[in-house]
Amino acid sequence: MSQETALTSEQLWNAALPILAQRINEATYDAFVAGAVAIEYTGDRLRLGVANDFALDWLQRHHAQVIGDCIAEVAQQPVQLQMETLAADAAPPAPPAPVTLPPPETSVARAQPPSDIQAAPLNPKYTFENFVVADCNRFAHAASLQVAKNPGNAYNPLFIHSASGLGKTHLIQAIGHVIANDPALSHYRVVYISAEAFVNHMISCMRDNTIDRFRRSYRSVDCWLVDDIQFIAEIEGPASEEEFFHTFSALYETNRQVVIASDCPPRHLQLMNERLRSRLEMGIVADLRTPDIETRVAILEKKALNEGVHLSRDVLDYVAGKIESNIRVLEGALLKLCAYASLNEVEVSRELAEEIIGDYSTSHTDRRVALQDILDYVASELNCPTEDMVSKKRTQNIAWARQVAIYLARELTDNSLARIGQFFGDRDHSTILHSYNKVQDAIEQDEQILWLINDLRATFE
Ligand code: ADP
Ligand code: MG
């Protein structure tokens, strides 16, 4: 954009905001970015006012690069970003300050735990009774049962990982139910929370200056069930990892039970803190695999029974055969059948099942392109050995092939930038974003590249 048609600071910032909303994690965006105010734009420098010192520090340390890049992108020229704290009267309305003072140190007795943790309630259906045990989950189930019977003393931490929809949340909540209902453990404080909620809570406590209280609360937990820990690894900035690590260590060192669910094993988590990774591996690491057809039938039978619906063996076989790799999807198909059966007061026949869930298929997961397929295909199409694509080599051909593959990976899969980066030779998420933008620009400028990408995409669609 030339100087004559220069944007105002407000226009520039307003145009950058939706892009930033995509690139910065939601919690940070809401807490610090959305409320920032563009003060002045001189054509090569933008002064950005943020709510307070904490926001300033946080943004400067973790997000200055991405904000700067984004502004330059919108302005279409280099722009220097200068962040500062807004004068109190110019600041947008601050969130209400907490009225309660943090409790004095002495009141943090375990009998009177502070109660401001935003724990999620346990799903009453996620019990051991409702969990079908089979080869695909036998070890994880046994370990969970031990932990539930003997929290803090059996396996600590217990780390359960699997692909989506295979029972992680079910199992870790089953542990929570047993402990919460054990009369001998009535003083026990069980907290189930997703890693994302933990991080959001942490950020808001930092913003409100109640981080000490936050720490005390989490450190008074007796059994900590943390779901979807991969979130901690995926967001930018080491602060949440640090905080998680300290909470984890405080609990672990005082023999409190920690159970963690993750979509990948500890060694594949994109963690910056190596000590955290090794601690996560210190206890039992158990995985859940896809159930075989008999197990899927057994799971369906159990769910149908719980729903009070009778389904013939033929129908169960059909449904279990159709949906292979995700129990959540399997269950969804069953519920659809049950709803139809009860609404129409009919028995579900095989034909009816085919009609109702004929369009369901494993293809829901099948259709998701694997990173490996993209890598292999681009490697062969662009004549670049796969080893080179995931190496540190940066010769032009190799770098280009790699960028193309990264572009497709971002376009065609649900993987996070961090995951894509890890796959393509342990690169960080900003490198991945850079590669993506490079290809995007090339597509816009060069018709040949547009067609190349178009052909490559078509192969996977
Ligand atoms: P994840 O957390 O791994 O994505 P969930 O724990 O949410 O998966 O499980 C998805 C659904 O599948 C839930 O409704 C859960 O009850 C069910 N499920 C998973 N494994 C089993 C099992 N072994 N027996 C019965 N139901 C199961
Ligand atoms: Mg889950």
Side-chain angles (χ1 to χ4, degrees):
M1 183 135 319
S2 67
Q3 290 292 343
E4 300 85 79
T5 55
L7 297 164
T8 66
S9 60
E10 205 181 342
Q11 285 169 331
L12 175 59
W13 182 238
N14 285 342
L17 277 174
I19 308 176
L20 285 170
Q22 308 274 316
R23 297 188 188 166
I24 291 184
N25 75 74
E26 205 179 321
T28 305
Y29 179 86
D30 289 347
F32 306 129
V33 181
V37 178
I39 301 169
E40 185 190 23
Y41 175 50
T42 58
D44 57 3
R45 188 172 57 108
L46 175 73
R47 279 175 61 205
L48 189 65
V50 301
N52 53 35
D53 289 343
F54 177 73
L56 182 65
D57 182 55
W58 181 274
L59 291 176
Q60 257 163 357
R61 278 205 275 156
H62 305 300
H63 304 287
Q65 177 82 37
V66 62
I67 298 175
D69 288 352
C70 182
I71 290 166
E73 239 172 87
V74 173
Q76 297 185 20
Q77 62 185 26
V79 178
Q80 189 203 344
L81 173 66
Q82 183 185 325
M83 291 195 270
E84 55 198 80
T85 332
L86 287 168
D89 53 348
V99 282
T100 37
L101 289 169
E105 217 53 69
T106 49
S107 75
V108 191
R110 284 174 69 178
Q112 289 177 304
S115 57
D116 56 354
I117 294 181
Q118 293 149 4
L122 299 177
N123 182 331
K125 289 185 179 166
Y126 290 171
T127 59
F128 281 114
E129 291 72 32
N130 287 338
F131 192 83
V132 174
V133 184
D135 286 344
C136 59
N137 58 35
R138 203 175 300 282
F139 180 67
H141 173 264
S144 302
L145 212 51
Q146 286 305 319
V147 163
K149 285 189 198 148
N150 211 352
N153 295 314
Y155 308 125
N156 209 9
L158 172 62
F159 189 102
I160 299 176
H161 66 93
S162 78
S164 176
L166 295 182
K168 299 180 291 292
T169 299
H170 188 140
L171 261 189
I172 75 171
Q173 291 204 6
I175 297 172
H177 280 299
V178 171
I179 297 174
N181 293 323
D182 186 338
L185 300 176
S186 57
H187 62 287
Y188 250 61
R189 188 148 182 252
V190 179
V191 167
Y192 167 83
I193 191 167
S194 71
E196 182 168 12
F198 176 80
V199 170
N200 288 346
H201 190 197
M202 176 195 89
I203 290 177
S204 67
C205 288
M206 285 184 157
R207 185 189 57 202
D208 301 343
N209 278 331
T210 52
I211 194 73
D212 290 342
R213 182 190 178 128
F214 168 93
R215 290 183 179 140
R216 278 199 296 271
S217 308
Y218 282 93
R219 286 164 205 189
S220 69
V221 168
D222 297 284
C223 172
W224 199 31
L225 310 168
V226 187
D227 211 344
D228 291 318
I229 180 113
Q230 71 276 359
F231 180 83
I232 300 252
E234 278 166 17
I235 67 168
E236 314 99 282
S240 42
E241 245 184 78
E242 276 300 305
E243 202 59 48
F244 179 84
F245 176 70
H246 289 306
T247 305
F248 174 88
S249 302
L251 296 182
Y252 175 81
E253 279 154 17
T254 50
N255 287 336
R256 262 79 71 82
Q257 182 69 48
V258 182
V259 183
I260 291 165
S262 165
D263 73 352
C264 63
R267 68 178 179 284
H268 288 160
L269 283 172
Q270 277 272 308
L271 293 173
M272 283 174 256
N273 186 331
E274 275 305 320
R275 286 183 306 163
L276 174 57
R277 185 201 312 283
S278 60
R279 291 224 158 176
L280 293 177
E281 282 175 329
M282 237 160 20
I284 291 281
V285 177
D287 69 338
L288 298 169
R289 293 180 304 276
T290 24
D292 57 20
I293 179 98
E294 288 83 5
T295 309
R296 297 202 297 279
V297 169
I299 290 173
L300 281 176
E301 256 178 328
K302 191 155 205 150
K303 303 267 177 204
L305 199 70
N306 283 347
E307 293 297 319
V309 176
H310 173 77
L311 294 178
S312 71
R313 182 65 203 219
D314 198 23
V315 169
L316 292 175
D317 282 346
Y318 172 73
V319 180
K322 198 143 178 60
I323 297 156
E324 290 176 348
S325 56
N326 185 320
I327 302 175
R328 190 179 299 115
V329 176
L330 189 67
E331 208 177 324
L334 176 83
L335 291 177
K336 198 167 167 186
L337 279 182
C338 291
Y340 188 94
S342 80
L343 212 63
N344 297 291
E345 295 180 2
V346 290
E347 284 264 313
V348 180
S349 66
R350 160 91 187 223
E351 290 68 36
L352 190 60
E354 283 177 24
E355 197 176 307
I356 297 172
I357 63 161
D359 55 342
Y360 267 74
S361 73
T362 317
S363 66
H364 184 68
T365 39
D366 278 354
R367 224 185 293 133
R368 269 220 332 254
V369 183
L371 292 175
Q372 187 67 44
D373 294 340
I374 294 179
L375 174 64
D376 291 343
Y377 187 70
V378 173
S380 79
E381 284 299 299
L382 300 189
N383 271 326
C384 175
T386 48
E387 312 83 73
D388 286 350
M389 303 227 339
V390 298
S391 72
K392 299 283 171 227
K393 292 187 194 165
R394 302 177 67 171
T395 45
Q396 212 181 348
N397 282 349
I398 298 173
W400 171 243
R402 184 184 300 130
Q403 284 162 353
V404 167
I406 287 171
Y407 177 86
L408 292 172
R410 181 144 191 246
E411 284 283 302
L412 302 176
T413 76
D414 295 327
N415 291 286
S416 65
L417 292 173
R419 192 72 41 75
I420 295 173
Q422 178 196 8
F423 183 82
F424 286 97
D426 256 329
R427 296 182 145 76
D428 68 22
H429 84 285
S430 59
T431 310
I432 299 306
L433 206 54
H434 177 74
S435 301
Y436 177 85
N437 290 336
K438 230 161 154 176
V439 176
Q440 184 65 47
D441 290 345
I443 292 174
E444 283 163 17
Q445 280 155 28
D446 185 334
E447 210 184 341
Q448 293 225 16
I449 293 174
L450 172 72
W451 286 109
L452 168 75
I453 298 291
N454 185 57
D455 288 351
L456 293 172
R457 283 186 78 121
T459 319
F460 293 106
E461 276 164 359

